[in-house]
Amino acid sequence: MLDFLFPRVCHGCETVLYPEENVLCLYCLSKLPILAHHRYQDKQMELFFYGRLRLKYATSLVRFEKKGLTQRLLHKLKYHGKQQIGAFFGKWMGSELACTHLYNQIDLVVPVPLHPKKLRKRGYNQVERFAQEIAGQLRAAYEPTILKREGRRTSQVFRSRSARMLDETTFHVRDGAHLEGKHVLLVDDIITTGMTLELCGKELLKLNPSSLSLVTIAIAS
């Protein structure tokens, strides 16, 4: 009855979903620009961070394309409260990672945090459900409070764009002594310049984990 009054629709094309479909219809699933570096031990993402961040493994599920399906999905996830999209990708990614020897020894999953002001305004971190589902599939601890994000602390007048960006994306680790010797998985929704993940990763590496790996939903082409 509820499906009749409030039909479930595809978040990609808005068509009504069949009972066996979830979040995306089969047509939209077939149109996703899948990368899944972990399937082929593709080192593209590790090379992206070469010289910037010491990673053991890194993978992204899909390619981000402007005005494409991936952009629509991430926009709904980030700005319209459609957290089921994050959960959908998390279950998908987590189930694949659990079947590979590369990621099945992850100890802790850490999501990239939002700035507190954005979190209060939005009411949720768009990375949470994605990271939670991955942690569940890998049977790893989910650690959402280890990284703390802080914002602008000094005047931005006459500062360069790169200096402003660095100041606006400051991260600190709190109560993370138990990360020592563990394989930590850092999780975010999308990689563009990689600066945010680089800053987060460097903070986590200060705690001497045995390894740091990285997973995102998408990477910009």
Side-chain angles (χ1 to χ4, degrees):
M1 184 65 175
L2 284 176
D3 283 348
F4 178 76
L5 296 174
F6 306 101
R8 299 180 309 120
V9 298
C10 172
H11 288 285
C13 64
E14 305 296 330
T15 59
V16 176
L17 293 172
Y18 288 107
E20 63 273 16
E21 295 174 330
N22 181 37
V23 177
L24 291 176
C25 67
L26 291 176
Y27 176 79
C28 284
L29 272 175
S30 71
K31 294 300 180 182
L32 280 174
I34 295 173
L35 295 172
H37 307 95
H38 53 278
R39 294 182 185 175
Y40 317 103
Q41 298 188 30
D42 186 334
K43 298 292 184 180
Q44 177 185 337
M45 280 181 57
E46 288 96 326
L47 291 173
F48 182 85
F49 286 98
Y50 183 77
R52 301 165 60 186
L53 186 62
R54 178 168 50 87
L55 295 172
K56 186 168 186 179
Y57 306 119
T59 186
S60 190
L61 188 59
V62 295
R63 182 173 63 252
F64 179 86
E65 297 174 334
K66 284 191 174 182
K67 299 182 180 179
L69 176 58
T70 309
Q71 184 181 37
R72 293 198 302 275
L73 293 172
L74 291 183
H75 187 83
K76 287 184 176 182
L77 169 62
K78 192 169 184 177
Y79 299 109
H80 296 284
K82 304 300 183 181
Q83 296 186 68
Q84 59 268 44
I85 294 173
F88 173 80
F89 282 125
K91 287 178 182 178
W92 181 356
M93 178 67 94
S95 64
E96 290 201 9
L97 297 183
C99 294
T100 73
H101 69 280
L102 304 180
Y103 293 86
N104 60 11
Q105 298 299 318
I106 297 291
D107 296 301
L108 304 105
V109 175
V110 179
V112 170
L114 276 184
H115 187 281
K117 287 184 178 179
K118 285 188 177 180
L119 185 58
R120 286 193 296 270
K121 181 179 180 180
R122 193 175 299 167
Y124 66 98
N125 180 351
Q126 73 274 6
V127 184
E128 281 183 353
R129 294 290 300 279
F130 179 62
Q132 286 172 346
E133 293 293 345
I134 289 175
Q137 295 284 341
L138 296 178
R139 299 183 180 180
Y142 176 60
E143 299 281 355
T145 61
I146 286 178
L147 281 172
K148 180 182 178 182
R149 188 170 194 158
E150 295 182 355
R152 186 178 300 167
R153 294 176 294 173
T154 58
S155 172
Q156 302 297 298
V157 180
F158 303 124
R159 302 191 71 198
S160 69
R161 180 174 180 270
S162 59
R164 290 198 305 271
M165 288 175 68
L166 285 170
D167 192 54
E168 291 168 359
T169 51
T170 302
F171 297 89
H172 298 285
V173 174
R174 51 186 178 184
D175 190 28
H178 60 294
L179 268 67
E180 185 172 355
K182 302 294 179 62
H183 189 172
V184 178
L185 182 66
L186 180 62
V187 177
D188 204 0
D189 55 345
I190 183 171
I191 298 176
T192 49
T193 66
M195 184 187 70
T196 296
L197 287 162
E198 180 182 347
L199 292 174
C200 287
K202 285 179 177 177
E203 288 298 312
L204 292 171
L205 287 172
K206 291 178 182 178
L207 301 174
N208 297 314
S210 63
S211 307
L212 177 67
S213 293
L214 178 66
V215 168
T216 67
I217 298 174
I219 183 171
S221 53

